[in-house]
Amino acid sequence: MASLTLKNIKKIYPFSSDEQKKAKKKKDDEPEKKQVNLQITDEGVVAVQEFSLDIADKEFIVLVGPSGCGKSTTLRMIAGLEDISGGELYIGDKLVNDVAPKDRDIAMVFQNYALYPHMTVYENLAFALKLRRIPKDEIDIKVREAATVLDIMQYLDRKPKALSGGQRQRVAIGRYIVREPQVMLMDEPLSNLDAKLRNQMRAEIIKLRNTIDTTFIYVTHDQTEAMTLGDRIVIMKDGFIQQIGTPQVVFNHPYNIFVATFIGTPQMNLFENAELLKNNGRYSVKLGDYTVELSEDKQAALSAKNVAAQPVTLGVRPEHISLSAGGIDAKVDVTEMMGSSVHLHVDAFGQDVILIVSTLNMTQKELDSLNHGTDVRFDFPGNVCHLFSKETGINLEA
Amino acid sequence: MKGKKKKFNISTLWQYYAMLVPGVVLTFIFSYIPLYGVIIAFEKYNVGMGFNSPWVGLENFRYLFSQPTFTRTIWNTLFISVWKLALGIIVPVTIAVLLNEMRSDKLKRFYQTLIYIPNFLSWIIMAGVLMDILSSTGAINTILAKLGMGTVNFLGDAKVFPWTMIVSDVWKGFGYGTIVYLAALLGIDPSLYESAMLDGATRWQQIKNITIPLLMPTIILMTVLSLGSVLNAGFDQVYNLYSPAVWETGDIIDTYVYRLGIQQAQYSVGAAVGLFKSLVSAIMVVTSYRLADKLAGYRIL
């Protein structure tokens, strides 16, 4: 159990000499192309930069972002598996930049579990303790305790090959429970499981978290996992932190367009043709012919920053849009029946807009009427509008 | 393949069988027809009468097994080849593990190439090189003399000769084995080492607890497969380096057959030795294949 402090952490993968020559030649020959997701400087490829974060003792932090955003690299730097190119990493009060992984008292669950294939489950669980020369009977007690917690007692004699994905996952977690590390790192531990098992294991990780008191840092690209597991979420893109906050804050007050569209499924609708109006100090937003006055908290936030009237990118989550008698004209494109709700893709202003319509109070006839080509109208209240600057993509309230 | 057998259908598969024909024909002509010559092992062969020489049954074998030189060659063959086999595993595995631990990829590639080069030289050339550096005035003896250890007659002393064969063969061949084991090492999931590192394992503990156990199936496979050739102690090598002075310990089955059959024109006895060796080898190949399947899950079909 320990707090963690990351101060301005940076990771640059230097070029090998061959690559450097190639890069140099390229520079001379042609204008440099920017590669997707990667920032390339003279020093090398920048994977993570300006990463600063304070993690409290026993907090559950989730790093989330698309692939190549630097989340796994950050985790591996914390574990000591990657060198830190710049900045400071503290575990507790101790600066650990140059401390060997084994001396950091950190455990890590790998995406592919990294179970030792030639050892039985028991030996896998006992391995770290054996290396520490802990007496055999003590190891035995700890292994059996962990196996009981994770419900893998009956598999202790098996080799990992003979276990299912979920069972392997438990063994991988068990390997770290026995060690009682200060910090537990998890690198996409559920991504190799099928959807059903993933949901089940997610619930188990929440339970596990209540049983073992330790600091968790969890990496995933799945925003549902991030939302359900994290005390706080760190959203990353291209090596930079985009926003840090509780799931609620990140969902309700996304800092920029990237966060807004990354968190939440189906993703937030964005309207490029919206306009923020200011009349007598009151803010409203205009989309086509539809105008809605913003809620009081948004009025206050915008007034405090003295935001001027301007064209904006308007974001509205599908669950916050409803079919209505008035409002914006649209044509139904596709209907996705989800059971308790319908995901309605409609065409408005020549773009695809998604609405989530609850089927709870709808008759079959009403449902059937939502066919391709049907004319509908939708609207949304003023408290669910997210306004982003056209220039920077940053939330105007932030 | 287990499960349902595919129905043989010549109308759709004939092209594949047609491609097989040249190989089968050549194998038959060059490997099966000459087998007829085996009958001379059971005859008192006479060049003038050819295959119609008088039939003597197992007389040649009886004569052979009563010869002390023959039992001696079997023992020499086994001694040399078993040691070659053992060191031919230990040395490449060790070198592969060491190379695998190297951080510099450039150096690693350099060493890999360097140790692989002797593998491409024929024993004729190697014999010349060895005779030169192992002679009484050669490089090795000069160094030994300078160190005050006296000189060693590597190729002329019957006690030393088998070891000269073993060590020089391992030296020539370990580059190949090293590459096989390096390839196997590449197949080990790197996250296992990372995991072990976080578990607190030192470099040596990682080698002991992860590398070696995970290399074991490959080691077993290579060992078992080489069991089939345990009676081949290396004709090219021994023939080019031995002399009557070291026959006592250096004469192996193949050189014995050659001397008997070709040089002394005792064709029947030579053929009998050759047949005996082939039979034992065939049994070893089958056994080792079964073992490989059982121990390492290796199967050709």
Side-chain angles (χ1 to χ4, degrees), chain A residues 86-216:
Chain A
E88 290 165 351
L89 170 66
Y90 292 88
I91 297 177
D93 309 325
K94 199 175 151 201
L95 180 69
V96 294
N97 280 36
D98 298 321
V99 175
K102 68 187 174 76
D103 300 322
R104 293 191 187 191
D105 198 11
I106 274 181
M108 182 160 165
V109 176
F110 291 83
Q111 184 175 351
N112 59 359
Y113 320 131
L115 298 179
Y116 307 122
H118 54 291
M119 299 184 194
T120 62
V121 169
Y122 186 97
E123 288 164 338
N124 262 288
L125 292 173
F127 184 63
L129 303 177
K130 228 166 89 186
L131 291 178
R132 269 149 229 240
R133 314 218 161 158
I134 290 171
K136 265 195 179 157
D137 41 346
E138 207 174 308
I139 293 180
D140 193 62
I141 294 170
K142 285 195 174 188
V143 167
R144 283 173 199 284
E145 258 175 27
T148 315
V149 170
L150 293 164
D151 199 18
I152 46 172
M153 267 307 260
Q154 62 272 43
Y155 309 124
L156 285 180
D157 295 331
R158 288 203 197 164
K159 295 253 173 86
K161 212 165 62 178
L163 300 179
S164 71
Q167 289 160 348
R168 281 182 211 183
Q169 184 63 66
R170 279 165 217 254
V171 178
I173 295 171
R175 229 164 38 162
Y176 300 109
I177 294 183
V178 295
R179 267 179 56 194
E180 297 165 14
Q182 290 202 56
V183 183
M184 179 105 156
L185 308 179
M186 297 180 136
D187 189 3
E188 310 221 12
L190 304 185
S191 56
N192 281 1
L193 305 177
D194 64 55
K196 194 179 161 199
L197 201 54
R198 200 180 308 159
N199 288 341
Q200 197 184 329
M201 283 308 291
R202 205 167 58 208
E204 298 225 4
I205 289 177
I206 296 173
K207 259 197 267 170
L208 178 76
R209 200 244 156 131
N210 298 329
T211 14
I212 52 172
D213 255 352
T214 190
T215 312
F216 278 82

Side-chain angles (χ1 to χ4, degrees), chain B residues 13-28:
Chain B
L13 294 173
W14 70 267
Q15 293 95 333
Y16 297 108
Y17 285 95
M19 282 190 261
L20 209 60
V21 168
V24 171
V25 169
L26 289 178
T27 310
F28 187 75

